[in-house]
Amino acid sequence: METENAVNYKFMGRSFNDLSINDDSSAFSDCNSDRSGEFSTASSQSRRLFLACTNSDNSDEFIRQLVSDLGSCSIDEQKNAALELRLLAKNKPENRIKIAKAGAIKPLISLITSTDPYLQENGVTAILNLSLCDENKELIASSGAIKPLVRALRTGTSTSKENAACALLRLSQVEENKVAIGRSGAIPLLVNLLGNGGIRGKKDASTALYSLCTVKENKIKAVEAGIMKPLVELMADFGSSMVDKSAFVLSVLVSVPEAKTALVDEGGIPVLVEIIEVGSQRQKEIAAAILLQICEDSVVYRTKVAREGAIPPLVALSQSGTNRAKQK
């Protein structure tokens, strides 16, 4: 497995490995636990039980009972148990550990394959919430969660798809899982969510793809799945709040020749030049770094970049941009 954590440049004998893009924390900061409101579908009795047990000495017993109910013959009991575990794991790290230790992960994974959309949604989201705990990530993956999550990404409700994308992102933070997720068929589905999902789906898909595409094998899969078209479209839409995210994803892809070719074919150079002209300081810096990679080994691409009018805004950026943008 080839992993690239930073972009390294060499141009005319000079090393630019200190110019990697590493200020991505705010661009990818909102793919966390589920954000599905107050769960109005929960019964008042169930909510009272949840609130009573959250901070009580009986919480361990309550969790064990919920895990037992996941295997019930009653689909209503399964739904209530999955919802309660989802709620318990949402905001309390200590509950995520308790739930995993109580043996909830495998039965929750089995719910992800359910034909009942509500049951699947709660199974996916409970796994997402549990995956926020670093101690649970390897256990979730080794328990067989990746393929069911990919299935939810393909067939689930919009919420299931979004939360499955987030869960796969969290699992991809264990380096060994990145290739397994890529080979499971997740990347074309994430690319589809990036292009056709709602705004939250686009954000979650871009975040997952950014993490997965630090592996070369996954970069190729993403390009082959047609990622460049939605990335270029999102970068061109300054009102979408997706310019930064899509540009960061592009920045990890363009280290492979296939991505450079696809970017040029999809009309990406004029979009990058426009970003350097009118984007924010951070957007300008990312765009300059991408153009540097495009021009690195190709006279043809250098000519295309120059013909698109990149030189004047790059000169202006070299004089008034951030220190890193000036260097790029």
Side-chain angles (χ1 to χ4, degrees):
M1 177 178 67
E2 181 178 341
T3 302
E4 303 174 7
N5 293 320
V7 179
N8 298 317
Y9 313 112
K10 277 193 174 180
F11 184 66
M12 298 183 68
R14 182 181 172 191
S15 173
F16 290 85
N17 58 328
D18 58 329
L19 302 185
S20 60
I21 301 170
N22 54 24
D23 185 23
D24 59 356
S25 57
S26 58
F28 296 115
S29 60
D30 58 353
C31 189
N32 296 307
S33 62
D34 64 270
R35 292 150 286 174
S36 304
E38 293 302 316
F39 307 100
S40 58
T41 54
S43 69
S44 58
Q45 179 181 3
S46 179
R47 293 291 298 149
R48 284 196 299 271
L49 182 59
F50 163 70
L51 292 170
C53 293
T54 298
N55 296 309
S56 75
D57 293 335
N58 295 325
S59 62
D60 289 350
E61 182 180 348
F62 180 45
I63 288 170
R64 286 193 293 270
Q65 182 59 53
L66 291 173
V67 173
S68 176
D69 289 347
L70 290 175
S72 170
C73 295
S74 165
I75 193 168
D76 288 335
E77 286 189 6
Q78 287 182 310
K79 287 179 180 179
N80 287 333
L83 174 59
E84 295 296 350
L85 290 168
R86 167 182 176 172
L87 289 168
L88 283 166
K90 183 175 182 181
N91 296 314
K92 287 187 172 290
E94 62 270 25
N95 284 343
R96 296 169 192 153
I97 296 173
K98 288 180 180 180
I99 292 167
K101 288 183 176 179
I105 288 174
K106 285 190 175 182
L108 284 171
I109 290 171
S110 71
L111 298 187
I112 298 176
T113 62
S114 172
T115 57
D116 183 289
Y118 182 72
L119 195 55
Q120 182 190 56
E121 184 177 307
N122 278 318
V124 168
T125 311
I127 288 294
L128 163 61
N129 292 347
L130 291 174
S131 73
L132 299 178
C133 174
D134 288 340
E135 293 183 30
N136 291 339
K137 289 182 174 69
E138 290 188 19
L139 178 58
I140 291 170
S142 65
S143 297
I146 291 174
K147 288 184 178 180
L149 287 170
V150 171
R151 178 179 174 181
L153 199 56
R154 180 184 296 109
T155 65
T157 64
S158 60
T159 298
S160 290
K161 290 178 180 180
E162 292 162 356
N163 288 345
C166 272
L168 290 169
L169 161 68
R170 296 300 167 184
L171 298 184
S172 75
Q173 292 169 341
V174 177
E175 204 66 32
E176 292 74 15
N177 292 337
K178 292 185 178 184
V179 169
I181 294 171
R183 291 177 180 176
S184 70
I187 288 178
L189 298 171
L190 289 167
V191 170
N192 182 62
L193 187 61
L194 179 69
N196 301 306
I199 185 60
R200 188 196 150 191
K202 292 177 186 292
K203 289 179 178 180
D204 293 346
S206 67
T207 310
L209 286 162
Y210 180 78
S211 176
L212 290 167
C213 287
T214 58
V215 176
K216 182 177 181 180
E217 178 180 323
N218 290 342
K219 298 179 201 279
I220 305 300
K221 291 180 188 296
V223 174
E224 291 175 344
I227 193 174
M228 208 55 66
K229 185 175 187 294
L231 284 181
V232 171
E233 290 175 350
L234 290 168
M235 285 194 303
D237 184 359
F238 285 88
S240 71
S241 74
M242 286 293 296
V243 177
D244 294 36
K245 288 179 171 62
S246 51
F248 271 117
V249 176
L250 179 56
S251 74
V252 299
L253 290 173
V254 292
S255 62
V256 297
E258 295 88 345
K260 294 177 184 178
T261 301
L263 173 63
V264 174
D265 290 346
E266 290 293 343
I269 289 177
V271 173
L272 290 166
V273 173
E274 183 181 12
I275 290 173
I276 292 176
E277 290 175 332
V278 301
S280 68
Q281 286 297 317
R282 182 172 67 170
Q283 290 165 359
K284 291 178 180 182
E285 181 183 325
I286 303 167
I290 294 168
L291 287 176
L292 175 58
Q293 293 182 82
I294 293 171
C295 294
E296 185 178 14
D297 297 315
S298 174
V299 174
V300 172
Y301 291 163
R302 290 175 209 163
T303 303
K304 287 180 180 290
V305 170
R307 286 178 177 171
E308 288 295 338
I311 292 176
L314 283 170
V315 170
L317 188 62
S318 72
Q319 297 170 341
S320 62
T322 64
N323 287 336
R324 292 197 310 171
K326 289 178 181 179
Q327 291 175 308
K328 289 166 185 172

